[in-house]
C-alpha cells in the first residue's frame, strides 16, 4: 500500500485537496492521512481587529478562538465523510505546531503529499504559489501533487520530458506511485527550431517508457518551452495530470526551472505531480 498524505488547513478547508487525495488513494490502493495544520500562530481573525480603541477585550479573543476550534473540528468531519464515501482507509494527524515544519516532517514518511495550490497558511491573499508553497516545494521529502481549488477527475496524464535526469526521475516517481494506472499517457517535449523532432535520447527513452507505459504517445514541439507547453496543455489537455521534474534544486533541467512549475500553477486548472531528487 502507498501512504498518501493530504495537507489541510482547518480554517480554510479545501474540499478539492481532500477529494483529489481520496481519488489517488483509491487509484493506488493506498492509505490516506489527513494532516491537519493547526499552527498556533495562525488564526482566522486578525489580532488587530480585536483591539478596539479602549484596548484588548479578552472575550472577543476567546469567542474568535472558539469559532476557530469549531471550524477545525468541522474540517475533520468533512474529511472523514469524503474518505468514507470513497471507501478508502484513512487516519487523521493533528498537532499544534508550526505548519511548515510539521508538514515537511510528515513528508519524510510519505509516498505522496497532496496540497491545494492556493494554500497560504495565513490570512493574507497571495499570488500563486504563496511563500508557504514555495518553501514547501523546495524542501519537501516526497513527490507532491499540487491541485486546483476545484476538483475534477483527471482523464489522462502528460509527462513533461526534456532529456535531463530530473525529468526522467519525476516519471520514475510517478510510475512508482501510480503503478496500475489505466489512463492515456502522453510524453511531451519541446526543442528549439534548429533541432529535429526526435525525443532527446530517443531510443533509450522509448525503451524505458515501453516497460512502464507501453501505449504512451509522444509529442515534440518546436519553440520556447514556457510558451509551447502552456498553450499545448490549455488547448488539448485541461483534464490532464501534469508530471514534471525538479523544483528549485541546485541541479535543475534546462527548462524545468522554478518558473515552469510556477507558470503551470498560475495558468492551468490541472493538477501537477512534481518530484525532485
Amino acid at each position: 500500500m502507498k501512504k498518501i498524505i493530504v495537507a489541510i488547513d482547518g480554517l480554510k478547508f479545501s474540499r478539492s485537496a481532500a477529494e483529489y487525495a481520496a481519488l489517488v488513494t483509491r487509484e493506488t490502493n493506498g492509505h490516506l492521512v489527513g494532516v491537519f495544520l493547526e499552527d498556533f500562530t495562525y488564526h482566522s481573525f486578525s489580532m488587530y481587529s480585536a483591539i478596539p480603541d479602549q484596548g484588548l477585550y479578552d472575550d472577543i479573543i476567546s469567542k474568535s478562538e472558539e469559532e476557530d476550534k469549531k471550524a477545525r473540528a468541522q474540517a475533520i468531519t468533512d474529511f472523514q465523510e469524503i474518505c468514507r464515501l470513497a471507501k478508502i482507509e484513512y487516519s487523521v494527524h493533528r498537532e499544534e505546531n508550526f505548519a511548515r515544519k510539521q508538514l515537511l516532517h510528515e513528508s519524510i514518511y510519505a509516498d505522496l503529499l497532496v496540497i491545494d495550490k492556493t494554500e497560504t497558511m495565513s490570512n493574507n491573499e497571495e499570488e500563486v504559489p504563496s511563500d508557504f508553497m514555495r518553501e514547501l516545494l523546495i524542501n519537501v521529502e516526497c513527490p507532491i501533487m499540487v491541485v486546483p481549488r476545484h476538483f475534477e477527475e483527471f482523464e489522462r496524464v502528460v509527462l513533461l520530458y526534456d532529456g535531463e535526469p530530473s525529468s526522467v526521475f519525476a516519471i520514475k516517481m510517478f510510475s512508482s506511485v501510480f503503478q496500475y494506472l489505466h489512463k492515456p499517457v502522453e510524453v511531451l517535449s519541446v526543442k528549439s527550431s534548429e533541432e529535429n523532432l526526435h525525443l532527446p535520447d530517443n531510443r533509450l527513452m522509448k525503451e524505458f517508457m515501453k516497460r512502464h507505459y507501453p501505449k504512451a504517445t509522444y509529442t515534440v514541439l518546436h519553440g520556447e518551452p514556457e510558451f509551447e507547453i502552456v498553450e499545448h496543455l490549455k488547448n488539448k489537455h485541461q483534464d490532464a495530470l501534469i508530471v514534471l521534474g525538479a523544483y528549485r534544486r541546485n541541479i535543475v533541467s534546462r527548462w524545468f526551472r522554478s518558473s515552469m512549475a510556477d507558470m503551470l500553477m498560475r495558468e492551468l486548472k490541472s493538477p501537477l505531480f512534481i518530484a525532485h531528487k
Side-chain angles (χ1 to χ4, degrees):
M1 296 180 71
K2 301 298 180 184
K3 180 184 175 183
I4 314 298
I5 63 175
V6 56
I8 296 178
D9 176 353
L11 300 182
K12 294 182 293 185
F13 178 65
S14 173
R15 178 169 292 274
S16 173
E19 289 178 335
Y20 272 110
L23 170 65
V24 172
T25 304
R26 191 172 67 243
E27 289 277 346
T28 60
N29 188 33
H31 181 95
L32 179 60
V33 178
V35 180
F36 287 80
L37 304 173
E38 300 188 359
D39 194 316
F40 52 80
T41 66
Y42 168 44
H43 310 279
S44 64
F45 58 93
S46 167
M47 293 295 289
Y48 295 104
S49 67
I51 307 177
D53 294 338
Q54 295 86 351
L56 180 65
Y57 286 103
D58 290 340
D59 59 334
I60 296 176
I61 296 296
S62 178
K63 182 179 179 181
S64 298
E65 289 180 338
E66 187 62 30
E67 289 174 354
D68 282 2
K69 186 182 295 185
K70 289 179 181 178
R72 285 174 165 143
Q74 184 61 51
I76 293 176
T77 299
D78 292 343
F79 168 75
Q80 291 172 326
E81 179 62 17
I82 288 170
C83 293
R84 282 194 289 267
L85 289 174
K87 298 180 180 179
I88 59 173
E89 292 187 16
Y90 70 92
S91 54
V92 170
H93 290 181
R94 60 186 302 191
E95 180 181 349
E96 288 191 5
N97 199 344
F98 292 110
R100 187 183 294 115
K101 178 181 178 181
Q102 179 189 357
L103 197 51
L104 290 175
H105 188 69
E106 292 263 4
S107 74
I108 297 171
Y109 304 98
D111 293 296
L112 179 69
L113 163 63
V114 181
I115 190 169
D116 191 314
K117 70 177 182 180
T118 65
E119 188 57 73
T120 64
M121 281 305 297
S122 74
N123 290 313
N124 302 326
E125 291 293 331
E126 297 183 43
E127 181 179 316
V128 174
S130 65
D131 290 340
F132 177 84
M133 286 294 295
R134 286 178 185 275
E135 185 68 24
L136 180 64
L137 285 161
I138 293 167
N139 295 300
V140 68
E141 297 290 348
C142 69
I144 183 168
M145 187 169 167
V146 182
V147 302
R149 193 65 183 174
H150 301 287
F151 172 79
E152 185 175 343
E153 185 169 352
F154 60 91
E155 300 297 336
R156 62 192 67 247
V157 176
V158 177
L159 310 175
L160 302 188
Y161 166 70
D162 68 346
E164 294 293 329
S166 56
S167 62
V168 180
F169 178 79
I171 295 170
K172 288 179 180 178
M173 295 305 296
F174 178 78
S175 66
S176 173
V177 175
F178 291 87
Q179 289 180 308
Y180 305 106
L181 186 71
H182 300 292
K183 295 181 185 293
V185 174
E186 175 188 15
V187 177
L188 175 61
S189 193
V190 180
K191 302 176 76 174
S192 68
S193 56
E194 295 80 22
E195 297 178 280
N196 61 42
L197 288 176
H198 293 301
L199 284 175
D201 280 334
N202 187 55
R203 180 180 60 83
L204 290 174
M205 180 57 177
K206 288 188 175 178
E207 187 176 73
F208 169 75
M209 288 297 297
K210 186 176 181 180
R211 272 69 190 175
H212 292 274
Y213 303 108
K215 295 182 179 180
T217 59
Y218 301 88
T219 302
V220 182
L221 305 174
H222 272 153
E224 290 296 324
E226 287 84 353
F227 175 79
E228 297 296 340
I229 288 174
V230 170
E231 289 302 303
H232 179 79
L233 296 174
K234 273 186 175 180
N235 292 333
K236 294 185 178 180
H237 296 304
Q238 288 284 354
D239 61 347
L241 170 61
I242 316 302
V243 177
L244 66 154
Y247 188 94
R248 287 193 166 200
R249 284 292 184 173
N250 292 329
I251 300 174
V252 296
S253 65
R254 63 186 172 90
W255 51 263
F256 289 138
R257 299 186 291 274
S258 61
S259 60
M260 175 61 71
D262 293 352
M263 186 179 302
L264 294 179
M265 276 186 256
R266 287 193 291 264
E267 297 291 332
L268 300 179
K269 297 178 181 178
S270 304
L272 308 178
F273 180 101
I274 303 171
H276 54 60
K277 293 185 179 180

